[in-house]
Amino acid sequence: MTNLSQTVEVLVQRAIDKSMITRQDAIYARNQILSYLHVNEFIEEQSLAHVNDDIPDLLESLTDYAARHNIIEDLLDEREKLSAQMMNVFVSKPSEINRTFYQKYEESPVLATDFFYQFSKDTNYIQTKRIAKNIEFVTPSAYGDLDITINLSKPEKDPEQIKRERELKQEIAYPQCLLCKENEGYAGRIGHPARSNHRIIEIPLEGETWFFQYSPYVYYNEHSIVFSSEHRPMTITRDTFSRLTAFVEQFPHYFIGSNADLPIVGGSILSHDHYQAGRYTFAMTNAEDEFRFSIDPFPSIEASVVKWPLSVIRLRHEDRHYLVNAAHHILTKWRDYSDPDANIVAYTEKTPHNTITPIARKRGNQFELDLVLRNNRTTKQHPAGLFHPHEDVHHIKKENIGLIEVMGLAVLPPRLKDELETIKQALLGENVTVADYHQNWVQSIKKRHSLITEETVTQIVEQELGEKFARVLEDAGVYKRDRAGRQAFQRFIDTVNET
């Protein structure tokens, strides 16, 4: 009991240190935590000075206790549920968080987001301990420095968890999806994550109510999600461009973008209209203009094609409404555009293939919109997608190329952590078994690097991985970066200028 009492007391103290509660709240908070652990007594401790654990470690210790004493089943979702419920003891109500956010916004949008980001970390909604496990590095490329992340933050479900999810599969439609506003404060269940400590900020966008939150597993600095109050499918329309530019008008220190609205080229959740934002500079943001062009119906727009593996049109103007009209003009032209010589077909019967991945930001007084042209057509040779990572790079990445990857940040599967270590050993001549799907890659690395040592092998493998990711992005580009591709791109621009 002494160790448990100490852990609870330290957790309460950490919440006080982070200004989530005051000392007047301490006994109340302690008793709430004890009730979740089915404990009816508490032993006062003389000193807590030697305990250095932070909130995630303390919560893990308490959920370990609950699992050992059969208070919860030792399953991931049950642990997450209890952890979030205990943390919620220290978290203010949504109205109070929104009030504080907008009080700080009156001083500065930066202060408002700084407050909410720190709050989301302090309350363990952003899983800082797990995020620290991710492998991250930067590799130079012909397109600038690419960010590489091997995602280890999301815990893998053990077989018992998967079994229980199947056994308890229920026809529950509440919340309707992981992005719905009804997740705020939701306790969670087997198969649906715990959100007791989750808070969201209400923001107006072009006459609609939207919400702002951070991602629990941030892939970049202040990785946030902006989502509609209405559960409706994602669509890319004029309204999309209006909302994106309205957001950066309110939060000019953030970028915001949307996944495309079609399978293969879209994101993982197409059922709920949402965007992703953040305070981060991606390689694509810094990419130079490859060439500039004019848009005849919008003569004051600064338009260019960006030097980037995907096909990107960049628009700039001080008047965001004028910019939105130009972007919508390009979207309308692209939706129905076909160029068989460039393998671009707009429709198969009534099934659409063309769409756009848009990204908005502010640069000084100008609004900037990047329109990434996408096409999700499949062929017999490329059944996963013609403008999708091709089979020869699937050993690295075969999932959809969504908004984050489009901008130059690779989110690679956890399996690569161990596989890359094995590859390093093989390159150093050790007797190890490399997965069949990596064999050709390993042989090609050996041919390109005559001298591989323990001091150089990590840098070589990371650089080779970055080059593979650049190839992944090139596969996703509808116009290839050769003479034929540039000529084909120009043909589309000519169409944009037709009245």
Side-chain angles (χ1 to χ4, degrees):
M1 182 61 66
T2 301
N3 288 339
L4 177 65
S5 296
Q6 184 182 66
T7 303
V8 172
E9 193 68 357
V10 174
L11 179 62
V12 172
Q13 183 58 51
R14 294 290 181 270
I16 293 171
D17 294 343
K18 293 180 182 296
S19 301
M20 286 187 277
I21 60 172
T22 69
R23 294 206 172 274
Q24 289 179 308
D25 304 314
I27 294 174
Y28 164 83
R30 171 206 299 167
N31 287 333
Q32 291 295 301
I33 299 297
L34 294 174
S35 72
Y36 282 120
L37 299 172
H38 299 184
V39 174
N40 297 316
E41 58 181 319
F42 180 81
I43 299 174
E44 296 282 355
E45 293 295 329
Q46 296 301 311
S47 174
L48 303 175
H50 64 286
V51 182
N52 297 318
D53 289 350
D54 209 343
I55 285 175
D57 300 305
L58 296 165
L59 291 172
E60 187 174 348
S61 295
L62 295 177
T63 52
D64 285 344
Y65 172 90
R68 286 197 310 272
H69 290 79
N70 298 317
I71 297 165
I72 61 170
E73 289 187 79
D74 193 8
L75 298 174
L76 172 64
D77 283 358
E78 290 294 331
R79 283 175 164 271
E80 298 279 271
K81 182 177 177 180
L82 178 60
S83 179
Q85 287 174 328
M86 289 190 293
M87 200 64 232
N88 189 47
V89 169
F90 310 111
V91 181
S92 298
K93 291 182 174 63
S95 59
E96 295 168 358
I97 301 302
N98 274 260
R99 182 165 59 250
T100 302
F101 180 90
Y102 280 106
Q103 285 172 348
K104 293 186 178 295
Y105 185 90
E106 288 299 314
E107 297 181 66
S108 161
V110 175
L111 287 177
T113 54
D114 282 353
F115 152 73
F116 191 48
Y117 191 55
Q118 189 62 48
F119 165 85
S120 299
K121 290 189 290 185
D122 289 345
T123 58
N124 204 44
Y125 181 73
I126 294 177
Q127 300 281 333
T128 53
K129 183 178 179 181
R130 291 178 182 166
I131 293 163
K133 298 177 182 178
N134 289 344
I135 297 171
E136 300 175 344
F137 53 89
V138 174
T139 62
S141 77
Y143 310 105
D145 290 341
L146 300 177
D147 295 307
I148 308 296
T149 298
I150 298 176
N151 179 26
L152 304 173
S153 57
K154 290 187 179 180
E156 295 187 24
K157 298 178 181 180
D158 60 38
E160 183 61 29
Q161 167 84 19
I162 296 170
K163 178 183 175 184
R164 283 297 307 278
E165 286 189 21
R166 289 172 179 166
E167 290 174 350
L168 296 177
K169 189 170 179 62
Q170 305 168 61
E171 296 301 323
I172 298 177
Y174 182 87
Q176 286 182 266
C177 78
L178 296 178
L179 291 179
C180 284
K181 61 182 182 293
E182 288 80 12
N183 282 281
E184 186 175 37
Y186 187 66
R189 60 181 187 268
I190 294 291
H192 191 102
R195 292 290 184 260
S196 294
N197 57 333
H198 178 40
R199 299 294 183 269
I200 58 181
I201 302 296
E202 184 175 321
I203 59 171
L205 288 179
E206 302 296 80
E208 289 188 344
T209 299
W210 284 61
F211 292 95
F212 173 83
Q213 68 174 69
Y214 288 103
S215 169
Y217 302 103
V218 293
Y219 292 141
Y220 52 83
N221 188 50
E222 299 182 39
H223 178 188
S224 45
I225 301 169
V226 179
F227 59 98
S228 171
S229 63
E230 180 185 348
H231 180 78
R232 66 191 187 203
M234 285 184 62
T235 56
I236 303 298
T237 65
R238 178 198 295 271
D239 290 340
T240 305
F241 306 136
S242 294
R243 295 186 204 105
L244 296 181
T245 54
F247 180 88
V248 295
E249 187 172 51
Q250 294 178 60
F251 301 96
H253 59 300
Y254 271 26
F255 83 90
I256 187 170
S258 175
N259 272 301
D261 54 358
L262 294 179
I264 298 176
V265 296
S268 57
I269 302 178
L270 296 180
S271 60
H272 195 121
D273 208 0
H274 73 284
Y275 313 131
Q276 295 183 73
R279 194 176 183 181
Y280 190 71
T281 302
F282 293 87
M284 193 178 85
T285 310
N286 289 332
E288 300 175 353
D289 293 346
E290 188 156 45
F291 64 91
R292 296 193 175 193
F293 63 93
S294 299
I295 304 177
D296 292 347
F298 301 92
S300 63
I301 288 283
E302 293 180 26
S304 64
V305 168
V306 179
K307 184 183 177 182
W308 192 245
L310 286 97
S311 307
V312 185
I313 293 175
R314 179 166 289 170
L315 307 178
R316 302 182 185 94
H317 203 273
E318 291 187 4
D319 183 339
R320 74 176 183 89
H321 301 289
Y322 189 75
L323 189 71
V324 164
N325 289 337
H328 181 248
H329 173 73
I330 292 173
L331 173 66
T332 302
K333 292 288 188 178
W334 178 245
R335 286 285 193 194
D336 296 327
Y337 182 77
S338 291
D339 183 349
D341 290 340
N343 289 315
I344 296 169
V345 177
Y347 296 91
T348 300
E349 296 179 351
K350 293 184 178 181
T351 302
H353 296 307
N354 287 350
T355 185
I356 280 176
T357 299
I359 301 104
R361 63 184 74 88
K362 280 205 77 176
R363 292 190 197 262
N365 293 327
Q366 284 193 319
F367 292 88
E368 186 172 271
L369 267 175
D370 285 348
L371 307 179
V372 187
L373 307 180
R374 312 298 301 275
N375 179 288
N376 77 342
R377 189 163 69 92
T378 61
T379 65
K380 289 183 179 180
Q381 184 181 0
H382 299 291
L386 178 58
F387 303 107
H388 179 83
H390 292 173
E391 191 171 353
D392 63 320
V393 294
H394 282 184
H395 65 109
I396 295 299
K397 176 79 173 176
K398 61 181 179 181
E399 296 81 9
N400 290 3
I401 302 304
L403 174 68
I404 295 173
E405 284 93 357
V406 161
M407 294 185 290
L409 192 160
V411 182
L412 301 179
R415 62 177 172 81
L416 285 174
K417 175 180 181 291
D418 293 334
E419 292 176 358
L420 291 179
E421 289 304 314
T422 302
I423 287 171
K424 291 177 191 177
Q425 293 173 323
L427 293 172
L428 292 171
E430 297 181 28
N431 186 19
V432 292
T433 302
V434 175
D436 289 343
Y437 46 77
H438 287 312
Q439 289 287 352
N440 290 339
W441 188 39
V442 171
Q443 294 307 313
S444 68
I445 294 174
K446 287 180 178 179
K447 288 180 181 178
R448 285 191 295 275
H449 301 274
S450 58
L451 182 62
I452 301 176
T453 67
E454 289 190 9
E455 289 73 26
T456 62
V457 68
T458 296
Q459 189 273 333
I460 287 171
V461 170
E462 288 182 355
Q463 181 60 38
E464 292 280 343
L465 191 64
E467 290 175 9
K468 279 283 184 178
F469 179 55
R471 253 292 319 283
V472 163
L473 297 182
E474 288 170 348
D475 286 347
V478 295
Y479 293 117
K480 304 310 176 187
R481 293 186 48 76
D482 54 20
R483 183 180 179 185
R486 182 161 176 165
Q487 289 174 340
F489 210 151
Q490 186 61 55
R491 289 197 294 272
F492 173 64
I493 292 170
D494 292 342
T495 302
V496 168
N497 281 323
E498 292 174 359
T499 55

Short mmCIF file of all heavy atoms in Angstrom, two decimals, residues 36-59:
data_model
loop_
_atom_site.label_atom_id
_atom_site.label_comp_id
_atom_site.label_asym_id
_atom_site.label_seq_id
_atom_site.Cartn_x
_atom_site.Cartn_y
_atom_site.Cartn_z
N TYR A 36 -10.77 4.73 -8.51
CA TYR A 36 -10.58 3.98 -9.75
C TYR A 36 -9.77 2.70 -9.50
O TYR A 36 -9.90 1.72 -10.24
CB TYR A 36 -9.87 4.83 -10.80
CG TYR A 36 -10.78 5.83 -11.49
CD1 TYR A 36 -10.52 7.19 -11.42
CD2 TYR A 36 -11.90 5.40 -12.22
CE1 TYR A 36 -11.35 8.11 -12.05
CE2 TYR A 36 -12.72 6.31 -12.85
CZ TYR A 36 -12.45 7.67 -12.76
OH TYR A 36 -13.28 8.57 -13.38
N LEU A 37 -8.93 2.73 -8.46
CA LEU A 37 -8.08 1.57 -8.15
C LEU A 37 -8.70 0.67 -7.10
O LEU A 37 -8.07 -0.29 -6.64
CB LEU A 37 -6.71 2.07 -7.67
CG LEU A 37 -5.94 2.91 -8.70
CD1 LEU A 37 -4.70 3.52 -8.06
CD2 LEU A 37 -5.56 2.07 -9.91
N HIS A 38 -9.95 0.99 -6.69
CA HIS A 38 -10.68 0.20 -5.69
C HIS A 38 -9.92 0.13 -4.37
O HIS A 38 -9.86 -0.91 -3.71
CB HIS A 38 -10.97 -1.22 -6.21
CG HIS A 38 -11.81 -1.25 -7.43
ND1 HIS A 38 -12.25 -2.43 -8.02
CD2 HIS A 38 -12.33 -0.25 -8.21
CE1 HIS A 38 -12.98 -2.14 -9.09
NE2 HIS A 38 -13.03 -0.83 -9.23
N VAL A 39 -9.32 1.25 -3.98
CA VAL A 39 -8.55 1.33 -2.74
C VAL A 39 -9.26 2.26 -1.78
O VAL A 39 -9.68 3.36 -2.16
CB VAL A 39 -7.12 1.85 -3.02
CG1 VAL A 39 -6.36 2.08 -1.72
CG2 VAL A 39 -6.37 0.86 -3.90
N ASN A 40 -9.39 1.83 -0.52
CA ASN A 40 -10.16 2.59 0.46
C ASN A 40 -9.30 3.27 1.52
O ASN A 40 -9.84 3.90 2.43
CB ASN A 40 -11.18 1.69 1.15
CG ASN A 40 -12.20 1.15 0.17
OD1 ASN A 40 -12.70 1.90 -0.67
ND2 ASN A 40 -12.51 -0.13 0.26
N GLU A 41 -7.98 3.12 1.45
CA GLU A 41 -7.13 3.75 2.45
C GLU A 41 -5.92 4.38 1.78
O GLU A 41 -5.61 4.11 0.61
CB GLU A 41 -6.66 2.72 3.48
CG GLU A 41 -5.90 1.54 2.88
CD GLU A 41 -5.47 0.55 3.92
OE1 GLU A 41 -5.02 0.99 5.00
OE2 GLU A 41 -5.57 -0.67 3.67
N PHE A 42 -5.24 5.23 2.52
CA PHE A 42 -4.10 5.96 1.98
C PHE A 42 -3.10 6.17 3.10
O PHE A 42 -3.47 6.50 4.24
CB PHE A 42 -4.57 7.31 1.44
CG PHE A 42 -3.47 8.15 0.85
CD1 PHE A 42 -3.03 7.92 -0.44
CD2 PHE A 42 -2.86 9.15 1.61
CE1 PHE A 42 -2.01 8.70 -0.99
CE2 PHE A 42 -1.85 9.92 1.07
CZ PHE A 42 -1.42 9.69 -0.24
N ILE A 43 -1.82 5.94 2.80
CA ILE A 43 -0.75 6.11 3.79
C ILE A 43 0.06 7.34 3.43
O ILE A 43 0.62 7.42 2.33
CB ILE A 43 0.15 4.86 3.84
CG1 ILE A 43 -0.68 3.64 4.23
CG2 ILE A 43 1.31 5.08 4.80
CD1 ILE A 43 0.09 2.33 4.17
N GLU A 44 0.11 8.29 4.34
CA GLU A 44 0.86 9.51 4.09
C GLU A 44 2.35 9.20 3.98
O GLU A 44 2.88 8.41 4.75
CB GLU A 44 0.64 10.52 5.22
CG GLU A 44 -0.77 11.02 5.35
CD GLU A 44 -1.11 12.08 4.30
OE1 GLU A 44 -0.19 12.48 3.56
OE2 GLU A 44 -2.28 12.49 4.25
N GLU A 45 3.01 9.84 3.06
CA GLU A 45 4.46 9.66 2.87
C GLU A 45 5.20 10.86 3.46
O GLU A 45 4.72 11.99 3.41
CB GLU A 45 4.78 9.53 1.37
CG GLU A 45 4.23 8.26 0.74
CD GLU A 45 4.87 7.01 1.30
OE1 GLU A 45 6.05 7.07 1.67
OE2 GLU A 45 4.18 5.99 1.37
N GLN A 46 6.38 10.59 4.00
CA GLN A 46 7.19 11.66 4.58
C GLN A 46 7.85 12.52 3.49
O GLN A 46 7.92 13.72 3.61
CB GLN A 46 8.26 11.06 5.50
CG GLN A 46 7.68 10.33 6.71
CD GLN A 46 6.83 11.24 7.57
OE1 GLN A 46 7.25 12.35 7.92
NE2 GLN A 46 5.62 10.81 7.90
N SER A 47 8.34 11.84 2.46
CA SER A 47 9.05 12.58 1.42
C SER A 47 8.83 11.96 0.06
O SER A 47 8.82 10.72 -0.06
CB SER A 47 10.55 12.62 1.74
OG SER A 47 11.27 13.21 0.68
N LEU A 48 8.67 12.81 -0.92
CA LEU A 48 8.51 12.34 -2.30
C LEU A 48 9.65 12.85 -3.17
O LEU A 48 9.64 12.67 -4.38
CB LEU A 48 7.18 12.84 -2.88
CG LEU A 48 5.92 12.47 -2.10
CD1 LEU A 48 4.71 13.14 -2.74
CD2 LEU A 48 5.72 10.97 -2.06
N ALA A 49 10.65 13.45 -2.54
CA ALA A 49 11.70 14.13 -3.30
C ALA A 49 12.51 13.19 -4.18
O ALA A 49 13.03 13.58 -5.22
CB ALA A 49 12.64 14.86 -2.34
N HIS A 50 12.60 11.93 -3.78
CA HIS A 50 13.45 10.98 -4.52
C HIS A 50 12.73 10.35 -5.71
O HIS A 50 13.32 9.59 -6.46
CB HIS A 50 13.95 9.87 -3.58
CG HIS A 50 12.84 9.01 -3.05
ND1 HIS A 50 11.97 9.46 -2.08
CD2 HIS A 50 12.44 7.75 -3.37
CE1 HIS A 50 11.09 8.51 -1.79
NE2 HIS A 50 11.35 7.47 -2.57
N VAL A 51 11.43 10.63 -5.87
CA VAL A 51 10.66 10.05 -6.97
C VAL A 51 10.71 11.01 -8.17
O VAL A 51 10.22 12.14 -8.08
CB VAL A 51 9.20 9.79 -6.56
CG1 VAL A 51 8.44 9.15 -7.72
CG2 VAL A 51 9.14 8.91 -5.32
N ASN A 52 11.29 10.55 -9.28
CA ASN A 52 11.49 11.42 -10.45
C ASN A 52 10.54 11.09 -11.61
O ASN A 52 10.64 11.71 -12.65
CB ASN A 52 12.94 11.31 -10.93
CG ASN A 52 13.91 11.81 -9.89
OD1 ASN A 52 13.69 12.83 -9.25
ND2 ASN A 52 15.00 11.06 -9.69
N ASP A 53 9.67 10.11 -11.44
CA ASP A 53 8.80 9.70 -12.53
C ASP A 53 7.88 10.83 -12.95
O ASP A 53 7.42 11.63 -12.13
CB ASP A 53 7.94 8.50 -12.11
CG ASP A 53 8.75 7.22 -11.97
OD1 ASP A 53 9.92 7.23 -12.39
OD2 ASP A 53 8.22 6.24 -11.44
N ASP A 54 7.62 10.90 -14.26
CA ASP A 54 6.68 11.89 -14.77
C ASP A 54 5.33 11.21 -14.99
O ASP A 54 5.17 10.00 -14.79
CB ASP A 54 7.20 12.52 -16.06
CG ASP A 54 6.68 13.95 -16.24
OD1 ASP A 54 5.71 14.32 -15.56
OD2 ASP A 54 7.25 14.68 -17.07
N ILE A 55 4.35 11.99 -15.45
CA ILE A 55 2.97 11.52 -15.50
C ILE A 55 2.81 10.22 -16.30
O ILE A 55 2.14 9.29 -15.81
CB ILE A 55 2.05 12.63 -16.03
CG1 ILE A 55 1.84 13.68 -14.92
CG2 ILE A 55 0.70 12.09 -16.50
CD1 ILE A 55 1.06 14.91 -15.33
N PRO A 56 3.36 10.07 -17.51
CA PRO A 56 3.15 8.81 -18.24
C PRO A 56 3.65 7.58 -17.47
O PRO A 56 2.99 6.53 -17.47
CB PRO A 56 3.94 9.02 -19.53
CG PRO A 56 3.98 10.50 -19.71
CD PRO A 56 4.10 11.05 -18.33
N ASP A 57 4.81 7.71 -16.79
CA ASP A 57 5.33 6.58 -16.01
C ASP A 57 4.46 6.27 -14.81
O ASP A 57 4.23 5.11 -14.47
CB ASP A 57 6.76 6.89 -15.55
CG ASP A 57 7.70 7.13 -16.71
OD1 ASP A 57 7.79 6.25 -17.58
OD2 ASP A 57 8.32 8.21 -16.75
N LEU A 58 3.97 7.31 -14.16
CA LEU A 58 3.10 7.11 -12.99
C LEU A 58 1.80 6.44 -13.40
O LEU A 58 1.32 5.52 -12.72
CB LEU A 58 2.82 8.46 -12.33
CG LEU A 58 4.06 9.17 -11.75
CD1 LEU A 58 3.75 10.63 -11.45
CD2 LEU A 58 4.54 8.45 -10.49
N LEU A 59 1.21 6.88 -14.49
CA LEU A 59 -0.02 6.24 -14.97
C LEU A 59 0.22 4.78 -15.33
O LEU A 59 -0.62 3.91 -15.05
CB LEU A 59 -0.56 7.00 -16.18
CG LEU A 59 -1.11 8.40 -15.92
CD1 LEU A 59 -1.42 9.11 -17.23
CD2 LEU A 59 -2.37 8.34 -15.06
#
